[in-house]
Amino acid sequence: MIYPEYILTLSCQDQRGIVHRVSGFLADHGCNIIDSAQFGDQEEHRFFMRVHFSREDSAVSDEALRAAFADLARDMQLEWDLHDAHYKPRVMLMVSKIGHCLNDLLFRYKSGLLPVEIPAIVSNHMDFYQLAASYNIPFHHLPLATGAPETAKLAQEAKIIELMDMHQVDLVVLARYMQILSPSLCARLKGKAINIHHSFLPSFKGAKPYAQAHHRGVKLIGATAHFVTGDLDEGPIIEQDVERVDHSMDAATLSAIGRDVECVVLARAVKWFVEHRVLQNGSKTVVFK
């Protein structure tokens, strides 16, 4: 028999007996735990937990389970979400003129490696409308001229919000979308938007970062996937990775390696998010892998 499956995520002030009470609640309501992970942050005195379980007692309805757990959550002062484990989150991809991350995510989606639905691709350029069409995904061109006034930017973002609402989007992925989002849009997307950017030791900002890195002679290049906030490229980090490079590699080679790292790091972050493995912990994240 196939039973309904759920993923429960929660956080709260650390206290005794959290695992016991949660697992006891599930057992008392006809549920069987498939896997579970937990973490106690000793510095912040916060506790985090992710539980994947099945509801095996047909006498316990979905509504009754959620209502009963809400009572427990109030008693324990939990911040929690209960997700249908088989639901595929709806992800809107945004891109500008650099397409390696978009192409990688679309391939993973089409091949079943990324358990999502992609109802829309948004871009301020037309470069990838044919790629979107090859996957039968609607492509929305929302141009924004260089140096456009704030009113034009906000009008363009209003269309982005309209698409999010229309398609009931659960996550926005900035797959090398090279526009700075307004503070109001960042606030609306809090905890629901992921960005990717290069990571250098040391760091280089501005134009042609890989050429700058080559000129400096870096030995490590990498990428960071993080939540979008109003502080540019400083949101809570979800995933990072690096590759070692050396003096024999030119700027074009560094850029190619960097593109590969960006693809892998962004794909991991998106997959972990849609599997409800990422919990925010202030300016950091807890990622149950």
Side-chain angles (χ1 to χ4, degrees):
M1 181 177 293
I2 298 176
Y3 299 109
E5 294 183 14
Y6 299 83
I7 296 173
L8 169 68
T9 57
L10 63 87
S11 65
C12 63
Q13 194 73 15
D14 205 354
Q15 55 192 280
R16 293 180 184 174
I18 302 172
V19 175
H20 173 75
R21 292 190 67 179
V22 171
S23 59
F25 170 89
L26 295 175
D28 292 342
H29 288 78
C31 300
N32 180 51
I33 293 176
I34 298 170
D35 63 73
S36 177
Q38 54 274 333
F39 169 70
D41 186 332
Q42 296 185 9
E43 293 180 358
E44 301 295 332
H45 306 290
R46 296 286 296 178
F47 182 85
F48 301 85
M49 190 173 184
R50 177 187 185 273
V51 186
H52 178 194
F53 67 92
S54 58
R55 176 168 53 88
E56 299 182 355
D57 186 346
S58 59
V60 179
S61 67
D62 177 272
E63 294 78 7
L65 180 68
R66 292 176 183 273
F69 193 82
D71 292 337
L72 177 66
R74 280 190 293 271
D75 182 52
M76 297 181 66
Q77 297 184 316
L78 306 180
E79 296 180 14
W80 64 285
D81 283 298
L82 186 59
H83 310 273
D84 179 347
H86 296 298
Y87 170 75
K88 292 184 177 181
R90 298 173 63 78
V91 177
M92 186 168 80
L93 304 179
M94 299 181 65
V95 65
S96 290
K97 294 176 71 69
I98 303 174
H100 56 280
C101 287
L102 173 67
N103 189 57
D104 181 76
L105 290 172
L106 290 175
F107 172 78
R108 293 173 190 268
Y109 152 73
K110 189 68 173 181
S111 59
L113 298 173
L114 196 59
V116 300
E117 298 293 344
I118 302 178
I121 295 172
V122 172
S123 181
N124 54 326
H125 297 280
M126 284 293 292
D127 297 55
F128 300 111
Y129 79 95
Q130 289 179 318
L131 177 62
S134 72
Y135 284 91
N136 294 317
I137 298 174
F139 182 89
H140 302 272
H141 180 218
L142 303 180
L144 189 63
T146 302
E150 187 69 13
T151 52
K153 182 178 181 64
L154 293 178
Q156 189 243 23
E157 289 189 348
K159 295 177 182 177
I160 293 172
I161 293 171
E162 182 180 336
L163 288 170
M164 290 166 49
D165 292 341
M166 178 190 308
H167 294 292
Q168 299 180 310
V169 169
D170 300 299
L171 175 68
V172 172
V173 177
L174 306 185
R176 295 304 301 269
Y177 181 68
M178 309 306 288
Q179 292 288 329
I180 298 175
L181 304 185
S182 69
S184 59
L185 184 54
C186 288
R188 183 184 177 97
L189 291 173
K190 183 179 180 180
K192 296 183 178 179
I194 296 174
N195 190 24
I196 184 72
H197 72 271
H198 65 76
S199 302
F200 288 112
L201 300 174
S203 177
F204 301 102
K205 298 181 179 180
K208 299 182 179 180
Y210 287 98
Q212 295 181 58
H214 173 65
H215 179 73
R216 183 64 182 272
V218 301
K219 304 306 183 211
L220 286 174
I221 62 174
T224 295
H226 60 90
F227 282 114
V228 173
T229 67
D231 297 319
L232 183 63
D233 290 339
E234 295 185 13
I237 294 169
I238 302 171
E239 173 63 340
Q240 294 177 296
D241 206 349
V242 296
E243 285 287 343
R244 184 163 290 279
V245 297
D246 61 39
H247 62 276
S248 68
M249 301 174 181
D250 59 15
T253 302
L254 297 189
S255 181
I257 294 171
R259 288 194 297 270
D260 289 344
V261 179
E262 289 172 9
C263 288
V264 171
V265 168
L266 182 58
R268 287 177 188 157
V270 172
K271 187 172 189 292
W272 292 339
F273 180 93
V274 301
E275 292 178 347
H276 312 293
R277 299 182 181 277
V278 183
L279 283 70
Q280 290 200 56
N281 181 18
S283 61
K284 303 181 290 185
T285 62
V286 174
V287 182
F288 292 120
K289 300 178 183 178

